[in-house]
Amino acid sequence: MPPARELLRWVHLADDMTFHEFADALPQIVWSASADGRIDFFNKAWFEWTGLPRQTVGTSAWLDIVHPEDVTATKEVWEACVRSGREYRIEYRLKDRRTNGYRWHLAQALPFRLTGADTLRWFGTCTDIDEQKRLQEALASSEAALRRSDERYRSLVSVLTSVVWMTDASGAFAFPQVDWNRYTGQTWEGQRGWGWLDMIHPKDRELVVETWKHAVKSHTTYKIEGRIWSQAHRGYRYFEARAVPLCDADGTVREWVGTITDVHDRKSMEVELLTSNEAYRQVLEKLKQSQSELEDKLRELEAFHDVVVGRELKMIEMEKELNRYRALLPNSA
């Protein structure tokens, strides 16, 4: 189905009669108008589509089958093109008499002066683009839904985490990481590739590299704790990193998506608790030691007491023996 520009190539070689016959043979709507913009011809496809009688040619009845919401823009654009001689191009909805519903059409027209004619004429087409239009709307709706979903995801992630990051399949930063830059202050030139490791605490760097390389090689979930430089705090803060691989249908890793959660406050509390527990343990050990020493002293005292009591008992026994011997003596009376 030829658009208006291709239609003109044929019109240039045809007279009105031949053009009308050619236009009627096309399934596409074809029309022409005089220099002042008055429609003076519609092909057979127009009447089959609209159900309008042929007597309406030359009138503004064609606007009656344009969707009410599109009429004003259609008239304004057409009249402006007629005045300026510019190409006419607009999308509007036309009413289908068979379904009584509207379908989107692309209307195009170009001004042209026929060979040997003194006056200018317009030749145009109306192409049914309803399916394409609905696909575009569905695509736009899907893209909008995807954007909303992405915004919700990022909003949720921003609440739960400090940094969202992505790498290529090899585990390297392949494009600027906005959240990483915001948190660490490291520029793209610094973070590119594996440069992001410079922001990890030197004492944690080796373990982070080993764990990350293992996850990348084995395609397993990455999880680790360590310390990362915080631009806002001007120092290292404890973090928990997690990442999962995103794979194609054949299982090939396409990229990695991860998060870094600031757990410094929690970690500090754990350290304080461990410190407190250690101090408590040391106090408890001292108490146990003191108790042991006291128990030893008590045992010594008990042993001493037993000795003393034993001696006293022996003294009593000895006193009784002496008294018995004294009673046996003559002068004891």
Side-chain angles (χ1 to χ4, degrees):
M1 292 181 285
R5 193 173 296 277
E6 293 183 9
L7 186 65
L8 288 184
R9 297 177 185 173
W10 198 89
V11 168
H12 181 71
L13 302 175
D15 55 26
D16 276 354
M17 182 60 69
T18 308
F19 168 71
H20 291 171
E21 291 174 353
F22 170 74
D24 280 338
L26 295 175
Q28 185 180 16
I29 295 173
V30 178
W31 52 275
S32 65
S34 58
D36 60 4
R38 183 178 61 85
I39 309 296
D40 57 18
F41 170 76
F42 282 115
N43 70 337
K44 184 169 63 175
W46 167 265
F47 298 107
E48 290 175 350
W49 179 271
T50 65
L52 292 175
R54 292 187 177 272
Q55 293 86 338
T56 57
V57 176
T59 71
S60 61
W62 65 276
L63 287 170
D64 295 340
I65 59 130
V66 175
H67 194 287
E69 294 178 359
D70 302 333
V71 170
T72 300
T74 300
K75 286 180 61 178
E76 290 178 352
V77 173
W78 175 235
E79 291 171 358
C81 289
V82 169
R83 287 194 301 270
S84 65
R86 297 195 310 269
E87 177 182 359
Y88 174 63
R89 182 185 179 91
I90 191 173
E91 294 179 1
Y92 52 59
R93 288 161 287 182
L94 291 179
K95 191 172 186 179
D96 184 353
R97 69 175 180 83
R98 294 164 294 187
T99 64
N100 208 35
Y102 289 89
R103 291 180 64 85
W104 283 98
H105 283 71
L106 170 63
Q108 295 174 286
L110 288 168
F112 187 72
R113 196 180 303 277
L114 291 174
T115 304
D118 296 329
T119 58
L120 191 73
R121 292 190 65 189
W122 289 82
F123 292 90
T125 59
C126 291
T127 306
D128 188 328
I129 59 168
D130 195 73
E131 291 185 6
Q132 297 95 309
K133 192 75 173 179
R134 294 187 188 281
L135 285 173
Q136 289 175 359
E137 292 174 351
L139 180 60
S141 178
S142 298
E143 290 175 345
L146 184 61
R147 284 194 299 272
R148 289 193 297 270
S149 177
D150 182 66
E151 289 169 0
R152 285 194 294 269
Y153 165 75
R154 288 194 170 274
S155 297
L156 178 61
V157 167
S158 66
V159 172
L160 299 177
T161 65
S162 298
V163 178
V164 179
W165 49 274
M166 298 178 66
T167 75
D168 59 18
S170 70
F173 281 2
F175 54 88
Q177 305 293 313
V178 177
D179 285 351
W180 183 273
N181 169 261
R182 174 180 55 80
Y183 189 87
T184 66
Q186 189 181 33
T187 64
W188 166 233
E189 290 303 319
Q191 63 187 244
R192 184 196 296 269
W194 289 73
W196 54 271
L197 281 169
D198 292 341
M199 295 294 101
I200 305 300
H201 193 286
K203 292 184 179 180
D204 301 332
R205 202 168 294 163
E206 183 177 353
L207 180 60
V208 168
V209 171
E210 290 178 358
T211 306
W212 179 229
K213 285 185 175 180
H214 173 74
V216 170
K217 184 178 180 180
S218 61
H219 302 170
T220 55
T221 300
Y222 171 68
K223 181 179 178 181
I224 195 171
E225 287 189 356
R227 287 161 291 181
I228 187 175
W229 179 262
S230 169
Q231 178 179 229
H233 296 88
R234 303 304 301 167
Y236 290 98
R237 290 179 66 82
Y238 283 99
F239 70 89
E240 180 181 86
R242 293 172 179 265
V244 294
L246 299 183
C247 303
D248 292 327
D250 61 358
T252 303
V253 174
R254 182 174 66 255
E255 58 191 358
W256 287 78
V257 177
T259 61
I260 287 180
T261 305
D262 188 315
V263 296
H264 191 82
D265 294 338
R266 188 200 75 191
K267 198 72 175 179
S268 297
M269 290 179 64
E270 290 177 356
V271 171
E272 290 177 5
L273 183 60
L274 288 173
T275 303
S276 299
N277 288 343
E278 177 62 19
Y280 172 75
R281 188 191 64 78
Q282 292 177 3
V283 170
L284 187 60
E285 286 296 325
K286 289 181 179 180
L287 287 174
K288 288 181 178 179
Q289 184 177 355
S290 298
Q291 182 180 3
S292 178
E293 292 174 355
L294 286 172
E295 289 174 349
D296 291 341
K297 292 293 183 182
L298 182 60
R299 281 191 293 271
E300 291 177 3
L301 288 173
E302 288 176 345
F304 179 73
H305 175 267
D306 292 341
V307 171
V308 171
V309 170
R311 287 179 179 177
E312 288 181 351
L313 290 174
K314 286 182 179 180
M315 291 293 291
I316 293 171
E317 289 296 326
M318 289 175 66
E319 185 66 26
K320 287 180 178 180
E321 286 294 324
L322 287 172
N323 289 335
R324 190 167 58 250
Y325 284 120
R326 288 188 189 125
L328 297 174
L329 292 174
N331 296 328
S332 61

